[in-house]
Amino acid sequence: MYTSVAAQFGQVIMANPHAPHLASVVEEYPVDESAQDPRQELIERILLTAPFQKSNRLPTLLRYLAVHSLDGSTGQLTEQRIGAAVFGKRSDYSTVEDSSVRVHVRQLRLRLHEYFACEGREEPLVAEIPKGSYELAFHEHHAPPPPQVPAPPTAPPAAAAARSSPPP
C-alpha cells in the first residue's frame, strides 16, 4: 500500500511529542495529494528531516512559501504578509523595526542549503529561496562532475624516440 510523503509527515508529527507545533503546519497549509507534484513531494520530504522537525517556525514558513510559490500566488509573499500569516504579527506591524521574517527566511535558506549538501544530495530537484525574494525556486539538481584523475606523465616524443633508436 502506498503511503504519501504528506501522510508520513502527518504520522511523524503525531508520534513526535517534542514537535506538537508541527501539527498546525499540516492543518493550516494542507497538501493536495491528488496533484503529485514532484516539487510538493520534495517539500514534504524536506519537512520530514530532523532539522525541520526540531524547529518551531521553519516548517510553517517553508510550507507557506511552498503553497504560495506552487499555486502562483506569489503576491502573498511579501514580508508584511508572511509576518502576519506565519508569525502572527499584526497586519500593520513595522518591518523596519521587526526583522523576524528576514531572519527566519535567512535561516531557512541555510537549512535548505544544508539539506541539499547532505541528506538531499541525491534529490532530482533543488528548492531554494533566492536572495531578495521570498518565492521558492525549483531547478534540476546537477550533481558535480566526478573529479578528473590526471593521466600518468608520459615522456616527450623526442625523448621517447631517442630511447627507442639504436645507437649509431
Side-chain angles (χ1 to χ4, degrees), residues 96-107:
V96 173
E97 295 174 10
D98 185 343
S99 64
S100 59
V101 171
R102 293 187 302 276
V103 168
H104 281 87
V105 169
R106 182 176 181 279
Q107 289 175 348

Side-chain angles (χ1 to χ4, degrees), residues 148-160:
Q148 295 291 331
V149 177
T154 58

Side-chain angles (χ1 to χ4, degrees), residues 25 62 64 70 74 92 94 116 122 150 159-160:
V25 175
L62 178 57
Y64 181 85
L70 294 175
T74 55
D92 63 343
S94 172
F116 289 107
E122 300 295 323

Side-chain angles (χ1 to χ4, degrees), residues 35-43 45 125 138:
Q36 295 187 5
D37 184 333
R39 299 169 301 173
Q40 192 171 347
E41 291 175 357
L42 171 64
I43 297 302
R45 283 192 300 275
L125 288 175
F138 296 89

Side-chain angles (χ1 to χ4, degrees), residues 19-71:
H21 59 280
L22 294 179
S24 66
V25 175
V26 175
E27 295 168 9
E28 202 166 333
Y29 303 109
V31 173
D32 178 7
E33 294 189 40
S34 65
Q36 295 187 5
D37 184 333
R39 299 169 301 173
Q40 192 171 347
E41 291 175 357
L42 171 64
I43 297 302
E44 298 303 318
R45 283 192 300 275
I46 293 169
L47 288 170
L48 284 170
T49 62
F52 283 90
Q53 291 182 20
K54 292 177 184 175
S55 173
N56 287 327
R57 302 284 187 159
L58 295 183
T60 307
L61 177 58
L62 178 57
R63 181 152 320 202
Y64 181 85
L65 297 179
V67 165
H68 291 289
S69 295
L70 294 175
D71 74 4

Side-chain angles (χ1 to χ4, degrees), residues 93-154:
Y93 86 100
S94 172
T95 58
V96 173
E97 295 174 10
D98 185 343
S99 64
S100 59
V101 171
R102 293 187 302 276
V103 168
H104 281 87
V105 169
R106 182 176 181 279
Q107 289 175 348
L108 181 55
R109 278 188 189 104
L110 292 172
R111 291 267 176 96
L112 289 172
H113 179 74
E114 290 169 5
Y115 173 79
F116 289 107
C118 297
E119 288 180 68
R121 68 183 165 277
E122 300 295 323
E123 290 282 1
L125 288 175
V126 172
E128 61 185 6
I129 307 166
K131 288 187 179 182
S133 172
Y134 295 115
E135 183 176 354
L136 279 173
F138 296 89
H139 57 85
E140 290 184 16
H141 192 182
H142 299 287
Q148 295 291 331
V149 177
T154 58

